[in-house]
Amino acid sequence: MRNLNRNGFALVETLVVSAFVMGIFTLLYTNYYPLIGEYEKRDHYDNIDMVYKTDVLKKFINKNRKSSTSEPEPLYYQNSSNFCKLWNNPDQCTEMWKVLKVKSILLTQYTIKNQKNSIKNKANISNGLKEYVEYLPDYSTNKYNYRGRIIVEYEEKINDADSSSYTVYKYATLGVDLYD
């Protein structure tokens, strides 16, 4: 009779420990899985290479502005010819567009909170760029007093070892003096 009680206790003990282990695995999974998503976003959003490329564009814009504009709506450029008309040195701009592998540029006001819906509803803006703009914080503080923001979509071709290739889009943004 005593052995039966011990076997019953071992079964209950096994069930309790299994439930405890499953609880720990569930807790780990629910906390770890969002971190993977954030890591993947950080790989494509504002990684250091793209921020440096965007800084090159920012310096070019600050140096080569023709005149200030008070355009309240976001300006979207999918090719260098339209974008480079805005600046004093269009040939250098076109060359920079190619070298930096820019796919598109979005010029907006610094605080984009009110413009997110406008950007989301534009048909000609790529879905990846729309998702990136939605991901961005509202930037309510502006300690450098920027009057605009440049948001850039870069296109990178990746070649695998088995000679297949695919395209990856990466994004970055910086404050810039665009508007007066």
Side-chain angles (χ1 to χ4, degrees):
M1 186 94 162
R2 258 182 126 166
N3 287 340
L4 288 176
N5 288 340
R6 286 187 180 186
N7 288 339
F9 180 72
L11 177 63
V12 171
E13 185 179 29
T14 303
L15 289 174
V16 168
V17 169
S18 296
F20 180 72
V21 169
M22 288 301 293
I24 288 176
F25 282 138
T26 302
L27 184 67
L28 287 173
Y29 177 77
T30 57
N31 288 318
Y32 180 72
Y33 190 71
L35 291 176
I36 297 296
E38 283 300 314
Y39 173 76
E40 289 175 357
K41 281 185 182 177
R42 279 288 169 214
D43 188 37
H44 297 289
Y45 293 174
D46 295 317
N47 72 25
I48 195 70
D49 294 336
M50 300 309 117
V51 171
Y52 275 117
K53 286 182 177 184
T54 305
D55 188 56
V56 169
L57 287 169
K58 172 187 171 178
K59 288 176 182 174
F60 175 81
I61 288 170
N62 286 336
K63 183 178 177 185
N64 293 291
R65 276 180 30 174
K66 282 185 180 178
S67 63
S68 59
T69 177
S70 59
E71 182 70 42
E73 284 296 310
L75 300 172
Y76 181 63
Y77 301 97
Q78 291 180 299
N79 57 52
S80 63
S81 60
N82 290 336
F83 177 75
C84 292
K85 288 178 189 176
L86 301 173
W87 318 111
N88 285 328
N89 196 340
D91 294 334
Q92 183 184 6
C93 176
T94 303
E95 184 64 27
M96 192 170 27
W97 186 287
K98 290 176 191 171
V99 169
L100 296 177
K101 299 176 184 170
V102 174
K103 181 180 183 261
S104 62
I105 293 178
L106 183 64
L107 302 176
T108 69
Q109 295 175 351
Y110 184 83
T111 306
I112 61 172
K113 181 179 182 178
N114 299 330
Q115 295 181 331
K116 282 187 176 184
N117 283 334
S118 171
I119 292 167
K120 191 190 312 186
N121 294 329
K122 288 193 182 255
N124 62 338
I125 296 179
S126 71
N127 287 334
L129 189 57
K130 288 178 185 179
E131 288 175 14
Y132 175 65
V133 169
E134 190 63 34
Y135 164 81
L136 290 173
D138 294 333
Y139 296 107
S140 57
T141 59
N142 185 0
K143 74 178 187 178
Y144 296 111
N145 296 321
Y146 290 123
R147 294 178 294 248
R149 172 166 301 286
I150 181 172
I151 302 171
V152 187
E153 180 177 31
Y154 297 96
E155 181 176 33
E156 289 188 0
K157 300 235 186 265
I158 308 295
N159 294 320
D160 282 344
D162 62 353
S163 73
S164 64
S165 65
Y166 56 94
T167 303
V168 174
Y169 299 102
K170 297 187 176 188
Y171 307 89
T173 184
L174 286 174
V176 66
D177 287 326
L178 291 172
Y179 308 113
D180 287 336

